[in-house]
Amino acid sequence: MDRADVLGVLSLIVWALTVTVGMNYAWLILRIDNDGEGGVLALAALASKVRRPSPLATGKQAKKGLPVTLLLGMFGTALLLSDGMITPAISVLGALEGLNVVAPGLSSVAVPVALVIVAGLFSVQRHGTRRMGGFFGPIILVWFITLGVLGVRGIVSNPDVLAAINPIHAIRFFVGHGVGSLLVLGAVFLVVTGAEALYADLGHFGARSIRIGWWCVALPGLLLNYLGQGARVLEDASIVDNPFYHLAPAWFQIPLLLLATMATIVASQALITGVFSLTRQAVMLGLTPRLEIRHTSESHIGQVYVPFMNWFLFLGTSSMIVGFGTAARIASAYGLAVAITMLMTTTLLFLYLFGGRIWPLWKCLLIVVPLVL
């Protein structure tokens, strides 16, 4: 990859994170909740309510609108449930693939170790979000600080990479590569795949906590690290397959591998708790058979544990780890599931804002059309 290509891809990453996650989810969608709950199913329920016809409507008119929004929500929920299986598999396998850099001779143990980690992750779900948060919170804070520090280390070696903040580099990349740039954008899309969990976990953490976590911790750490990786690739194109671990000095690569593995467990946790929230909503809407739902907090009604879904996800995740074996083989299925879930969320967002006469049509299209594209 030459300098223009590296800056173009980095610019796509910077603006994908800023617009898709920051503006669409953290700023806009988190404002919309259904009795404190978030996620695509909550948005579908709200869109169904605002599109309900007048009391004078009869027959087919009385049913118009409700089935479509509910089906969109159910479809998006089904895909988010699949994300709850895929995310632990791809995250843990992806972290353990650092063994290829740190200790190539141990790369064959990635699958067995991943299975052990996943079994441990699902076995502690019954303790609830609050108790696990007290342990997971410091880990993820250290993780994002580490991402930022490593990124700065890379940027200092090649400050020219900061030019990627200018969106003109993304535009030039598209102009220069034509249709092929869409394939690259498909890979870039993987950087925003955790965004749907922000909304699904609204009932567990609240909008304010999620926004603070995103704008003050996650986004700065991610941007600095991706820019740092780009700087290293500009210096040495041979590391393009795994630039992340090459950001760290040799003495820190093993601790970084351990920290990355712990961080992926937390990343998986976000999707798992989101699945619990969506399952509770589905049961309350009568869309699934009644399941045992345990409330794990005395102060937050949205913090729940669903034993059946927990072990259902565990079986699915374990099967994916054994069946696919590497994170790269799962990536396409993961990206597709997340992309369509986001598409359902954005579509329902339009139906809610326009159907409920909350925003005029021009304003809805100004926000929704770029996100759909």
Side-chain angles (χ1 to χ4, degrees):
M1 296 178 71
D2 60 22
R3 180 178 181 277
D5 287 341
V6 172
L7 292 179
V9 172
L10 284 174
S11 188
L12 288 173
I13 290 173
V14 168
W15 289 102
L17 286 169
T18 303
V19 175
T20 303
V21 185
M23 301 306 295
N24 187 33
Y25 280 87
W27 174 72
L28 178 58
I29 293 182
L30 283 178
R31 297 170 181 265
I32 305 168
D33 68 274
N34 186 21
D35 294 329
E37 292 286 357
V40 64
L41 202 55
L43 192 54
L46 288 171
S48 299
K49 292 175 184 177
V50 300
R51 288 176 58 82
R52 190 170 296 168
S54 70
L56 298 177
T58 58
K60 293 182 178 180
Q61 289 180 321
K63 299 179 181 179
K64 187 177 180 181
L66 181 61
V68 175
T69 53
L70 204 54
L71 286 172
L72 288 174
M74 292 169 66
F75 186 45
T77 300
L79 289 165
L80 194 63
L81 295 183
S82 73
D83 292 341
M85 296 181 183
I86 298 173
T87 298
I90 193 172
S91 298
V92 175
L93 282 174
L96 291 175
E97 283 173 6
L99 289 170
N100 294 329
V101 177
V102 176
L106 296 177
S107 59
S108 60
V109 305
V111 170
V113 172
L115 289 173
V116 172
I117 291 172
V118 166
L121 172 64
F122 284 99
S123 67
V124 300
Q125 294 302 315
R126 58 190 175 85
H127 296 297
T129 305
R130 175 174 292 182
R131 291 183 63 183
M132 289 186 293
F135 175 70
F136 286 159
I139 292 174
I140 209 66
L141 185 60
V142 171
W143 168 246
F144 280 113
I145 291 173
T146 303
L147 290 184
V149 171
L150 291 177
V152 169
R153 184 173 184 267
I155 293 170
V156 168
S157 67
N158 197 336
D160 290 347
V161 77
L162 293 173
I165 297 173
N166 188 342
I168 194 67
H169 290 286
I171 296 171
R172 288 174 179 169
F173 184 83
F174 273 105
V175 172
H177 291 273
V179 177
S181 61
L182 294 177
L183 299 177
V184 176
L185 184 61
V188 168
F189 185 79
L190 291 175
V191 307
V192 303
T193 48
E196 193 67 33
L198 296 181
Y199 191 36
D201 279 328
L202 183 61
H204 281 261
F205 303 105
R208 183 172 179 270
S209 298
I210 293 173
R211 287 197 185 100
I212 292 174
W214 171 251
W215 292 112
C216 299
V217 180
L219 182 61
L222 290 171
L223 290 181
L224 288 172
N225 195 265
Y226 281 123
L227 290 170
Q229 290 182 50
R232 289 288 289 117
V233 172
L234 286 175
E235 290 180 348
D236 182 4
S238 65
I239 66 168
V240 69
D241 290 336
N242 199 338
F244 172 69
Y245 283 99
H246 287 92
L247 270 179
W251 63 267
F252 189 61
Q253 287 185 346
I254 292 179
L256 182 61
L257 173 63
L258 297 175
L259 180 59
T261 303
M262 290 189 289
T264 59
I265 294 173
V266 183
S268 304
Q269 179 64 39
L271 263 297
I272 295 169
T273 53
V275 167
F276 293 161
S277 293
L278 289 175
T279 302
R280 174 175 173 267
Q281 294 175 45
V283 171
M284 293 175 66
L285 291 171
L287 301 177
T288 67
R290 296 185 64 179
L291 299 171
E292 180 186 1
I293 298 175
R294 300 178 189 173
H295 291 269
T296 59
S297 171
E298 296 179 356
S299 56
H300 290 81
I301 192 171
Q303 293 186 10
V304 296
Y305 167 64
V306 186
F308 173 81
M309 288 306 303
N310 184 63
W311 297 112
F312 181 71
L313 293 178
F314 168 68
L315 291 175
T317 298
S318 301
S319 299
M320 286 189 173
I321 290 173
V322 174
F324 287 96
T326 67
R329 294 175 182 170
I330 310 176
S332 294
Y334 183 47
L336 182 65
V338 174
I340 299 178
T341 305
M342 287 185 170
L343 181 62
M344 296 300 101
T345 299
T346 304
T347 303
L348 288 166
L349 175 67
F350 172 79
L351 295 175
Y352 172 72
L353 293 176
F354 178 65
R357 296 178 177 84
I358 298 171
W359 281 6
L361 180 60
W362 69 267
K363 192 174 181 180
C364 293
L365 294 178
L366 186 65
I367 296 291
V368 168
V369 170
L371 293 172
V372 169
L373 292 176

